[in-house]
Amino acid sequence: MTTPDISVIIGAYNAMPYLTKTLTSVVEQSVGRDRLEVIAVDDGSTDGTGEELDRFAAAYPGLFRVFHQENSGGPAAPRNKGLDHARGRFVFILDADDWLGEEALERMLTMADENKTDVVLGKMVGVNGRGAPASMFVRNQPRTDVLTSRVYWTLNPMKLFRRSLLEEHGLRFPLEYNTGEDQFFTGAAYLHADGISVVADYDCVYWVARTDGGNVTATTRGADRRIRVLERMIDMVEQHVPAGPGRDALLDRHLSVDLFHALIHLARETDGDLQRRNFAELRALLERSYPDSLRRRVSPLTRLRCELILRGLLDEAIELEAVDRRNRARRVQPDILVDRDRAYLRLPYFRDPARGIPDEIYDITGGIPDAHRLDSVELDGSRLTMSGHAYLRRVAQDETVTELVLRERGGKGEHRFPTIPVAVPGLGEDQDGGRFDYTAAGFTADVDLAAADGGARLADGLWDVFLALRVQGVTREIRFGHRRLPEISGKPSTYLVPAGDEVIAATLYYTHPYGNLTVDIGENKHRAGDRLRAGDVRWSERDPSVLEITAEWTLATPPPAGTLGVRLTEKGGAAVTVPASVGEGRTFSVAVPVDRLTPGTWDVSLRLAVAGSAADWSRQVPPQPGLKGTRWRRRCLPRYALPTRNSGLALRVGRVAVAKAVARRARRLLP
């Protein structure tokens, strides 16, 4: 029996009518049904779910295996049964009320096979108002891990897992939990995986909020079970990840998400004794697993939650959740207070003398939310100009100063330039309830690259672009460019920049994968010569000794007149330059008189050279497989030019050896 590539495992309990779309999305996968098997487990449904599974199994014989069992009380048992019967190289666990994009499994399988990774995340999309995780799906990640990406912030199991990974480590869903069991399974798989991939450029999983409120997470109540999950996940992280920034990053996820949910249910608890006992358990957990390094890392809201728990302030913790719930319902964020050079989130009990909670708990100086956009950028001669806006949100914009910062990558140096404020009517009026005036946050900047370094030109290097904002004494630097108007092309733009007696190449480009603006001075990553591209290359029909080359330039602005041509370089060092004729648009052409070349092998390159300067760029014409040799006569003697097999176009030029040619012909004529 052929081993399928993927086993799709579906545990189903009372999943109608959602189940039909789920199953249809599986059988219509572009990867092909011959590479799949579907293992569906009916967990004691009473609404026709079992019958629908049997109907699909009959319609697609050989694809489905359906199991019926008594209700187990949670998703763990049916998923485990599917895992026990899976035969595929990979397994994908799909909830019975969610569905897949048509190419989802094919794209995830390709990502796993090409990068030899054990787990693949496919981009998730919320349906019916369900929020889907997003921070880990900003871009494709061929190979990553939990410590260098955001993948750990989604612990649901709807991912592609290499089955050998699961079997090697005996990974199954714990049966003693009816909520949070997916965290143990997925978290352990992440921690044991040899590489994790992310497919972010395609909507893979559609995560459905059921209109009947039947999602397991929506129907499972109580703080007690959530605290058990939180404790076990913290234990697992501490067991597998050494103390340090990596461990703190993973624990941050559990305190920010799982502790938050536990407190929501704790606030709803009507049994006072159980409520106090649960609160004491949270306190004991933080006392052993909340180091100062983690305290500094988490958000002010999470930090305040933890502080109230550690101080035993149950009533205050419940009130904090009530305030947070009201803010979320109204989509309102707490105000920010700027005091000297620090910024604080105005959360409950801030500077309340009765509680005495230190200001540092509320400190948000390094994490004030910002808004910014690049609206234009160009080089005109040596002048770099740009416009846009930038501001810190929920902070009154009094005494705001904005500087443009060019910082050489690697920390070798930086230069700061003032900007000119520009009013932008209506800017930010749809943010933060319209309570703040951001209309003065626009700016323009003008930097002369030929004099940017104290009157000297900007040195060769990669110069990353930042904006430095100083608002009411608080300074914030923003890496600039990844948020920009749609009409700003993300492609590199190379310019020729006059700088005194020099002409230098400068390229404006956007980094990968983050898309921030950088200025490349001196061709560190972008060669000006690469902006010359050869087109048609052929021998002239009028004169067989003339090589006709058409080409184009792709610089951001036209090259100066008289700078384009073709350069032929002989292996011994001789060189000949032939000027170009400029055509329409970006094209130019060159007629190369090969008969003027001395015998030898000549490399053929497109050339851009500025007279009176050292600026001289070239790009060898690529090989021309269809170009044959040619012959002509000079002073009555036959000569030839023959393209050689080389990494670029080269011509071997020489005299035809007449005597040898006659002798060869004579030999062919002899009987």
Side-chain angles (χ1 to χ4, degrees):
M1 184 178 294
T2 303
T3 300
D5 283 317
I6 303 175
S7 299
V8 180
I9 297 172
I10 303 172
Y13 172 71
N14 286 355
M16 294 298 291
Y18 304 94
L19 178 63
T20 303
K21 187 166 189 174
T22 301
L23 299 177
T24 301
S25 76
V26 174
V27 300
E28 293 181 349
Q29 284 295 295
S30 63
V31 72
R33 291 192 285 273
D34 58 327
R35 302 177 68 183
L36 299 177
E37 69 169 357
V38 182
I39 304 174
V41 181
D42 169 28
D43 197 38
S45 300
T46 59
D47 69 341
T49 289
E51 290 80 359
E52 184 71 347
L53 291 174
D54 291 337
R55 183 177 75 84
F56 267 81
Y60 299 95
L63 177 61
F64 280 80
R65 282 189 286 165
V66 177
F67 299 89
H68 300 274
Q69 65 183 31
E70 295 293 324
N71 181 253
S72 65
R79 287 172 178 169
N80 287 345
K81 188 159 193 170
L83 289 171
D84 291 342
H85 287 85
R87 297 180 298 109
R89 293 193 297 123
F90 292 87
V91 299
F92 188 90
I93 297 168
L94 181 64
D95 283 351
D97 39 24
D98 302 323
W99 45 284
L100 297 173
E102 183 178 355
E103 301 175 16
L105 295 181
E106 181 179 13
R107 287 176 179 249
M108 286 189 280
L109 180 64
T110 299
M111 186 71 88
D113 283 340
E114 287 183 352
N115 299 287
K116 297 179 172 55
T117 46
D118 286 342
V119 183
V120 182
L121 287 69
K123 183 180 178 181
M124 305 187 72
V125 180
V127 180
N128 294 339
R130 187 170 193 179
S135 62
M136 63 294 303
F137 297 118
V138 173
R139 66 187 187 281
N140 282 354
Q141 298 178 69
R143 189 176 181 89
T144 187
D145 55 54
V146 293
L147 301 182
T148 56
S149 73
R150 292 276 295 181
V151 298
Y152 194 77
W153 285 72
T154 172
L155 290 173
N156 72 72
M158 284 185 286
K159 306 184 171 45
L160 193 71
F161 299 94
R162 191 177 297 274
R163 192 165 66 86
S164 60
L165 167 74
L166 307 182
E167 298 309 314
E168 178 183 353
H169 298 283
L171 299 185
R172 293 294 187 271
F173 294 88
L175 298 175
E176 63 269 30
Y177 299 88
N178 59 0
T179 183
E181 79 294 330
D182 48 0
Q183 292 196 30
F184 307 134
F185 177 86
T186 307
Y190 282 163
L191 293 170
H192 288 297
D194 180 9
I196 300 170
S197 297
V198 178
V199 175
D201 60 354
Y202 183 79
D203 295 341
C204 292
V205 182
Y206 290 82
W207 212 21
V208 178
R210 292 175 55 155
T211 56
D212 61 0
N215 298 93
V216 172
T217 53
T219 58
T220 306
R221 308 295 181 187
D224 190 71
R225 63 195 69 193
R226 286 174 169 79
I227 294 172
R228 302 286 84 74
V229 171
L230 177 60
E231 290 175 333
R232 181 164 171 176
M233 290 305 297
I234 288 177
D235 288 344
M236 184 174 73
V237 170
E238 291 180 340
Q239 177 184 352
H240 288 90
V241 183
R247 177 191 287 183
D248 288 346
L250 305 188
L251 294 181
D252 184 3
R253 186 265 181 220
H254 291 297
L255 295 186
S256 298
V257 178
D258 302 321
L259 177 63
F260 163 59
H261 289 138
L263 287 171
I264 288 176
H265 287 270
L266 185 77
R268 297 171 181 168
E269 182 58 64
T270 57
D271 183 334
D273 289 339
L274 178 58
Q275 188 182 62
R276 286 186 289 274
R277 185 167 67 250
N278 287 159
F279 197 67
E281 290 169 345
L282 288 175
R283 182 177 184 176
L285 178 61
L286 291 178
E287 286 175 341
R288 71 170 174 84
S289 297
Y290 185 54
D292 288 343
S293 57
L294 179 56
R295 183 173 184 253
R296 291 189 294 269
R297 178 188 175 90
V298 298
S299 70
L301 181 55
T302 298
R303 198 181 303 134
L304 180 57
R305 287 189 177 112
C306 294
E307 186 72 11
L308 296 176
I309 293 170
L310 288 169
R311 289 169 176 252
L313 299 176
L314 173 59
D315 292 340
E316 285 82 351
I318 292 174
E319 175 59 24
L320 174 62
E321 297 313 314
V323 171
D324 184 51
R325 186 167 60 252
R326 289 194 297 270
N327 287 342
R328 288 172 182 269
R330 291 163 24 204
R331 297 184 178 180
V332 172
Q333 295 290 335
D335 288 347
I336 296 172
L337 170 70
V338 175
D339 187 0
R340 297 185 179 90
D341 60 348
R342 309 303 298 175
Y344 304 99
L345 205 59
R346 287 184 175 273
L347 292 168
Y349 318 118
F350 176 61
R351 292 182 175 173
D352 180 345
R355 274 81 178 190
I357 298 175
D359 283 1
E360 64 188 41
I361 298 297
Y362 301 84
D363 197 312
I364 197 175
T365 305
I368 303 176
D370 58 61
H372 53 88
R373 189 181 70 196
L374 174 65
D375 292 347
S376 68
V377 59
E378 64 178 347
L379 262 170
D380 184 2
S382 64
R383 306 200 75 85
L384 172 66
T385 60
M386 67 180 70
S387 66
H389 67 255
Y391 55 90
L392 301 183
R393 293 179 56 180
R394 308 203 310 274
V395 176
Q397 303 297 299
D398 304 337
E399 304 173 6
T400 298
V401 176
T402 303
E403 288 182 310
L404 178 69
V405 181
L406 297 180
R407 180 170 297 137
E408 189 175 3
R409 194 168 299 172
K412 299 177 182 178
E414 72 172 31
H415 303 287
R416 293 175 175 260
F417 309 93
T419 64
I420 300 173
V422 175
V424 185
L427 181 62
E429 62 184 10
D430 58 342
Q431 294 177 328
D432 308 313
R435 294 178 292 123
F436 299 90
D437 182 6
Y438 302 127
T439 58
F443 73 90
T444 62
D446 186 339
V447 178
D448 186 355
L449 298 183
D453 186 0
R457 79 164 176 89
L458 196 64
D460 290 352
L462 297 176
W463 294 89
D464 296 326
V465 178
F466 293 82
L467 288 181
L469 301 181
R470 185 170 180 82
V471 183
Q472 298 186 50
V474 173
T475 300
R476 175 75 173 278
E477 283 195 350
I478 298 170
R479 185 71 169 92
F480 196 53
H482 63 275
R483 299 174 188 167
R484 53 186 182 269
L485 288 178
E487 53 264 35
I488 298 179
S489 172
K491 296 180 179 179
S493 299
T494 299
Y495 299 78
L496 303 185
V497 176
D501 295 334
E502 295 182 274
V503 176
I504 61 175
T507 299
L508 306 181
Y509 77 98
Y510 299 91
T511 61
H512 178 79
Y514 299 107
N516 291 307
L517 179 61
T518 295
V519 183
D520 181 354
I521 302 291
E523 303 178 276
N524 298 273
K525 287 181 174 289
H526 306 85
R527 295 182 64 252
D530 291 342
R531 295 299 175 179
L532 306 175
R533 297 177 182 174
D536 187 37
V537 179
R538 61 184 177 180
W539 297 108
S540 170
E541 294 180 356
R542 297 184 303 274
D543 185 344
S545 69
V546 174
L547 183 67
E548 297 177 340
I549 300 174
T550 60
E552 67 172 351
W553 54 267
T554 59
L555 296 164
T557 55
T563 59
L564 294 170
V566 164
R567 187 171 181 82
L568 299 102
T569 307
E570 205 270 327
K571 300 299 183 182
V576 174
T577 298
V578 183
S581 298
V582 178
E584 294 290 332
R586 295 171 175 263
T587 64
F588 63 97
S589 61
V590 183
V592 180
V594 181
D595 61 341
R596 298 182 186 177
L597 301 178
T598 59
T601 300
W602 296 80
D603 291 330
V604 183
S605 300
L606 302 176
R607 187 190 189 199
L608 194 164
V610 180
S613 77
D616 192 338
W617 296 281
S618 63
R619 184 181 189 183
Q620 190 167 10
V621 175
Q624 304 292 313
L627 185 68
K628 307 300 183 182
T630 187
R631 287 193 178 193
W632 68 94
R633 286 184 175 273
R634 184 180 180 188
R635 297 175 183 173
C636 300
L637 295 176
R639 297 175 181 260
Y640 71 91
L642 182 67
T644 64
R645 294 181 180 180
N646 207 333
S647 57
L649 178 61
L651 299 175
R652 188 168 70 246
V653 178
R655 303 182 185 90
V656 176
V658 177
K660 291 182 179 179
V662 171
R664 284 196 299 269
R665 181 174 296 181
R667 284 196 295 270
R668 286 197 298 268
L669 294 175
L670 291 175

